[in-house]
Amino acid sequence: MTWEQKLKALQALGPVSLRMRSFGDWYVDARGRETKEPDSCCLTGTYGNGTSPEKAVENDWKAFLQVPTNES
C-alpha cells in the first residue's frame, strides 16, 4: 500500500488528520484513538511522527498496527 492509501485506511477507522508542526516536522493527529498495552490497565494515545508526510503516516501505521503478543 502507498502511504496515501494507509492514511485513507486510518481515516476510515476514525478522525485522523495529517498536520505540520513546522517545516520538516509532521505528525498524524488521531484524537480519541487509544490502545491498551499488554499487562496494563491504562489506555494510551499514539500518533506517528516524521520529517515528511509520508514518514509520519508510515510511522503511525506501524505503531497502530502493532499486534501485542503474550511472549515473555
Side-chain angles (χ1 to χ4, degrees), residues 2-3 5 9 12 14 18 32-33 46 51 58-59 65-66 69 72:
T2 67
W3 70 271
Q5 291 170 325
L18 184 58
R33 184 176 75 192
T46 60
T51 56
E58 292 291 347
N59 182 258
L65 293 182
Q66 276 188 324
T69 63
S72 299

Side-chain angles (χ1 to χ4, degrees), residues 1-3 6 53-63:
M1 290 177 79
T2 67
W3 70 271
K6 290 176 182 177
E54 178 179 1
K55 288 181 181 179
V57 171
E58 292 291 347
N59 182 258
D60 190 63
W61 181 263
K62 186 177 177 182

Side-chain angles (χ1 to χ4, degrees), residues 1-2 6 18-19 22 29 36 47 52-53 66 68 71:
M1 290 177 79
T2 67
K6 290 176 182 177
L18 184 58
R19 301 189 186 272
S22 62
D29 183 357
K36 181 181 171 295
Y47 54 89
S52 69
Q66 276 188 324
E71 297 175 6

Side-chain angles (χ1 to χ4, degrees), residues 14-34:
V16 173
S17 299
L18 184 58
R19 301 189 186 272
M20 184 176 73
R21 289 184 188 101
S22 62
F23 183 74
D25 188 8
W26 291 83
Y27 72 102
V28 175
D29 183 357
R31 294 180 192 176
R33 184 176 75 192
E34 297 174 325

Side-chain angles (χ1 to χ4, degrees), residues 29-50:
D29 183 357
R31 294 180 192 176
R33 184 176 75 192
E34 297 174 325
T35 57
K36 181 181 171 295
E37 295 295 321
D39 302 323
S40 173
C41 63
C42 299
L43 295 174
T44 58
T46 60
Y47 54 89
N49 291 289

